[in-house]
Amino acid sequence: MTQQLRLAILFDGQSAELNKSYPLHEESDSIKISSLKFYLTNIEILDKDGQVVETCPDALISLEDSSHFYLCQFRDWKASNRLRFTLGVDSLKNMQGAIEGPLDPINGMYWSWQSGYINFKFEASSPIIPTKKNKLQLHLGGYQYPFRSDRAIEVSLSHKMTVFFELRDFIDAIDLKTDHTEMSPSKESVILLNKAQKSFKSL
Amino acid sequence: MKHSLLILAIFIVFVLTAFQLRSIKIWPSYFPDPHYSIPNQKEDSLKIAYGRMLFYDPILSKDNSISCASCHSPYNAFAHTDHELSHGIGDSIGLRNAPALFNLAWQKELMWDGAVNHIDMQALAPLESKSEMGETLENVVRKLNKHKFYRSRTFEIYGDSVLNGAQLLKLLSSFQLTLQSYNSKYDKVRLGIEKFNEQELNGYQLFKTNCDGCHTEPLFSNYKFERNFLPLDSVLNDVGRFRITQIGSDSLKFKVPSLRNLSYSFPYTHDGRFNSLYEMINHYTSETTNKNFKVNDLKPIILTENEKVDLVSFLLTINDKDFVFSPKHQFPKELLNK
């Protein structure tokens, strides 16, 4: 029997939507998301012994397309126990030259002034963000020490075979008044990617 | 009879192997192995030709006015003579001098600060720079995919008339990897075909004593990032390699340029501040630079005026006229019928 591995982007447990006002917990204000894109690469399904039973193709996830994504289909789902993937693009693929498909630089997730994929792109606006037009722009990436920011993630898989990215967790983890503009590999970018890493879970 | 057949078979294998090696390894034996595999002129001829058309076509810029060749002219060893800094759309001026393009297969990192880690990705920098071509990869691909001329060439290579971004980048790198320069007098001397005259020979000795550490033979660059001890231009405020690594010791370091084809590729340095070889040599032999050498544990360079003339005489032997005027790198006539 085949099963599909899926990813869902949630906000407070519900399917996340672009350009919808979401309340902020500790403020009387709200936040509106205009863009959320990230790479999931090196996706592997593991059995209970940690052996790889399936691999899935690299994926560019964009909330502009949907909040629910099909990652891949595999046969022996009963053997599947855990999911391992990379949030972002590893240094090997960053050094490989032009790659077609989801990693094609045409997808707007590659810096042009210096080499490297943008692992995670998050853009939003909120009255509490102290920038022009109250905009937040986080373009997080970097493949070289000390700003390497691809993150390995491993979660257990239930029969639902779905991994979730909870946007509320990520937004609560960052300080919107200070963490609002990152456009190049940096120490701050690494810290923010760590917070994005912690926002993945499975039910 | 059996014996003769065996000898014949061995001979055929030997000839085929020699031919195969020759067809793959086309650079001189005294060159190191390249970092990138060089496209095969026969098997990859369509890709090289397509990349060459793209290189010369201003369709790559936002207002269709600037091509790669605008700042990388074949007659200047693919640099931009008389222009200190690169030029872009709407008369905009870039941050750095357009470097000469040759022997790119031997350069792991590209750009003056090594910002680009792979030759496939290099074209993205000028393509999307607002002060150069001001385009996006997405829009260039859209323009090419609308064009009958390019759609038919895309189909010819990929069996599909729709080009993608990665293919476009690889086509450009295919052509640029064929820009190989190793047919200068120096190369002929290395191969035993020609000889240096006395002045050139003296210049060569001076070069080996004073310059070879960074401008290492036979590529005439170690392609590392080094300080040139030029004062920071307060308008450009270009800190070089530091912009990429954020490491303090990389401040004001720039990639060592090759000294091949100097007669065609002036002005020199990352911001094009020197127009002549003598200005360049005077900088490296000046009291101020020698003080900086000393502070950095480098050997001073002290040359008499006659020695400077001899050094220049040698440097002129690494001009490769055949490369600079080779028709196979020049504007492709097919573009006239586009």
Side-chain angles (χ1 to χ4, degrees):
Chain A
M1 185 180 172
T2 57
Q3 183 91 350
Q4 290 183 338
L5 177 69
R6 290 178 177 275
L7 170 102
I9 303 174
L10 307 178
F11 202 113
D12 284 339
Q14 303 296 313
S15 296
E17 290 175 47
L18 286 183
N19 303 313
K20 178 182 172 181
S21 283
Y22 289 106
L24 293 169
H25 279 321
E26 294 173 14
E27 308 278 347
S28 56
D29 281 309
S30 60
I31 189 165
K32 206 181 268 187
I33 297 141
S34 51
S35 178
L36 175 66
K37 288 182 178 184
F38 52 83
Y39 276 113
L40 294 188
T41 61
N42 306 327
I43 305 169
E44 294 174 328
I45 314 284
L46 312 174
D47 65 15
K48 59 182 178 10
D49 300 320
Q51 298 298 309
V52 177
V53 291
E54 288 284 345
T55 57
C56 306
D58 296 342
L60 173 58
I61 306 296
S62 172
L63 192 52
E64 204 173 302
D65 300 332
S66 171
S67 61
H68 285 71
F69 299 88
Y70 158 80
L71 295 176
C72 69
Q73 182 169 289
F74 51 97
R75 279 161 291 171
D76 191 12
W77 68 274
K78 280 184 179 172
S80 310
N81 188 266
R82 294 186 72 74
L83 170 68
R84 184 163 66 197
F85 60 91
T86 301
L87 169 60
V89 181
D90 64 28
S91 56
L92 201 66
K93 285 176 180 153
N94 264 286
M95 301 287 282
Q96 210 174 308
I99 303 172
E100 295 179 34
L103 293 171
D104 191 324
I106 206 168
N107 295 318
M109 291 289 280
Y110 195 91
W111 279 301
S112 56
W113 62 278
Q114 72 165 95
S115 291
Y117 284 95
I118 299 168
N119 291 330
F120 185 95
K121 188 184 274 189
F122 180 55
E123 296 178 356
S125 61
S126 167
I128 69 162
I129 298 169
T131 60
K132 191 182 175 190
K133 295 185 181 174
N134 307 113
K135 279 188 175 176
L136 169 144
Q137 285 183 298
L138 301 180
H139 296 183
L140 311 179
Y143 67 95
Q144 283 179 307
Y145 178 84
F147 306 133
R148 185 174 170 176
S149 60
D150 57 303
R151 289 289 173 269
I153 297 175
E154 200 171 313
V155 292
S156 58
L157 276 176
S158 71
H159 66 284
K160 288 184 179 172
M161 304 303 280
T162 302
V163 61
F164 300 94
F165 179 76
E166 178 51 76
L167 254 171
R168 168 68 80 186
D169 290 352
F170 178 64
I171 290 169
D172 282 354
I174 64 176
D175 184 344
L176 295 174
K177 288 174 182 164
T178 55
D179 301 331
H180 47 67
T181 313
E182 288 299 332
M183 309 291 276
S184 57
S186 63
K187 192 170 76 179
E188 291 74 21
S189 177
V190 171
I191 295 167
L192 289 165
L193 243 311
N194 290 342
K195 291 174 178 175
Q197 178 187 16
K198 288 175 184 162
S199 305
F200 283 90
K201 55 188 72 171
S202 67
L203 298 177
Chain B
M1 178 72 182
K2 252 184 182 179
H3 198 64
S4 309
L5 278 174
L6 186 66
I7 291 169
L8 185 65
I10 291 168
F11 177 73
I12 290 169
V13 168
F14 176 78
V15 169
L16 284 175
T17 308
F19 179 77
Q20 196 182 14
L21 283 174
R22 189 176 163 76
S23 67
I24 294 167
K25 191 172 177 178
I26 49 173
W27 54 91
S29 57
Y30 52 88
F31 262 44
D33 286 336
H35 182 73
Y36 298 101
S37 58
I38 296 171
N40 185 298
Q41 291 283 359
K42 278 186 182 171
E43 287 169 20
D44 302 314
S45 61
L46 290 176
K47 288 184 181 174
I48 296 167
Y50 196 158
R52 180 179 164 198
M53 285 183 239
L54 293 170
F55 188 88
Y56 282 91
D57 195 333
I59 197 171
L60 264 62
S61 63
K62 188 177 182 180
D63 61 1
N64 303 314
S65 67
I66 299 279
S67 72
C68 304
S70 300
C71 287
H72 297 284
S73 159
Y75 307 107
N76 305 140
F78 293 92
H80 202 191
T81 296
D82 273 347
H83 292 80
E84 290 178 16
L85 303 171
S86 59
H87 285 207
I89 54 167
D91 288 336
S92 54
I93 303 290
L95 179 69
R96 292 182 179 140
N97 178 260
L101 305 181
F102 52 80
N103 298 341
L104 297 171
W106 284 268
Q107 302 178 41
K108 186 183 173 194
E109 287 151 322
L110 289 306
M111 315 294 278
W112 280 104
D113 55 11
V116 174
N117 69 12
H118 193 287
I119 191 162
D120 287 352
M121 311 316 251
Q122 191 281 329
L124 274 174
L127 194 80
E128 299 201 349
S129 164
K130 284 184 179 138
S131 58
E132 293 182 58
M133 296 167 116
E135 255 296 4
T136 63
L137 180 61
E138 189 182 8
N139 203 44
V140 171
V141 166
R142 192 180 297 127
K143 285 194 281 187
L144 294 171
N145 283 337
K146 274 185 189 170
H147 215 295
K148 197 180 166 189
F149 176 84
Y150 283 116
R151 283 176 68 84
S152 61
R153 271 149 188 85
T154 304
F155 185 83
E156 204 176 1
I157 295 171
Y158 301 107
D160 184 341
S161 54
V162 181
L163 190 73
N164 63 41
Q167 287 165 341
L168 166 70
L169 294 172
K170 281 183 177 293
L171 289 168
L172 280 165
S173 62
S174 290
F175 168 63
Q176 291 180 84
L177 284 166
T178 66
L179 304 178
Q180 294 164 48
S181 176
Y182 35 68
N183 207 20
S184 65
K185 178 171 183 181
Y186 162 86
D187 296 293
K188 287 168 187 161
V189 171
R190 288 287 302 249
L191 293 170
I193 302 167
E194 288 191 29
K195 282 185 176 174
F196 288 134
N197 62 34
E198 197 181 327
Q199 192 175 36
E200 290 163 348
L201 196 59
N202 190 37
Y204 185 31
Q205 295 305 328
L206 291 166
F207 172 84
K208 285 200 278 193
T209 309
N210 296 290
C211 317
D212 194 65
C214 291
H215 295 285
T216 316
E217 296 176 68
L219 295 162
F220 290 92
S221 172
N222 58 11
Y223 291 124
K224 290 181 180 171
F225 301 92
E226 309 282 3
R227 288 200 67 180
N228 53 22
F229 299 109
L230 289 168
L232 179 75
D233 182 307
S234 58
V235 176
L236 299 173
N237 206 25
D238 185 358
V239 292
R241 182 77 175 146
F242 175 76
R243 186 174 79 131
I244 305 306
T245 64
Q246 303 288 306
I247 297 169
S249 58
D250 281 343
S251 184
L252 296 174
K253 280 188 178 174
F254 294 90
K255 190 163 80 163
V256 176
S258 171
L259 300 184
R260 285 176 175 268
N261 301 310
L262 287 173
S263 289
Y264 308 103
S265 57
F266 60 94
Y268 310 119
T269 79
H270 61 281
D271 55 13
R273 70 177 78 180
F274 293 131
N275 273 314
S276 75
L277 285 179
Y278 285 102
E279 284 177 87
M280 201 72 242
I281 292 171
N282 285 339
H283 162 67
Y284 279 120
T285 53
S286 73
E287 205 175 310
T288 312
T289 307
N290 274 324
K291 275 182 189 167
N292 282 321
F293 282 154
K294 197 175 177 185
V295 171
N296 289 276
D297 290 329
L298 295 166
K299 201 174 61 175
I301 302 177
I302 298 160
L303 299 176
T304 65
E305 291 307 307
N306 282 343
E307 285 174 332
K308 288 177 189 176
V309 175
D310 290 353
L311 179 58
V312 169
S313 173
F314 166 69
L315 292 174
L316 297 181
T317 72
I318 32 178
N319 286 330
D320 183 352
K321 198 175 172 184
D322 291 353
F323 166 71
V324 171
F325 295 104
S326 168
K328 68 179 182 178
H329 303 141
Q330 292 168 7
F331 180 86
K333 291 192 179 95
E334 298 96 306
L335 276 187
L336 296 172
N337 306 318
K338 200 178 81 175

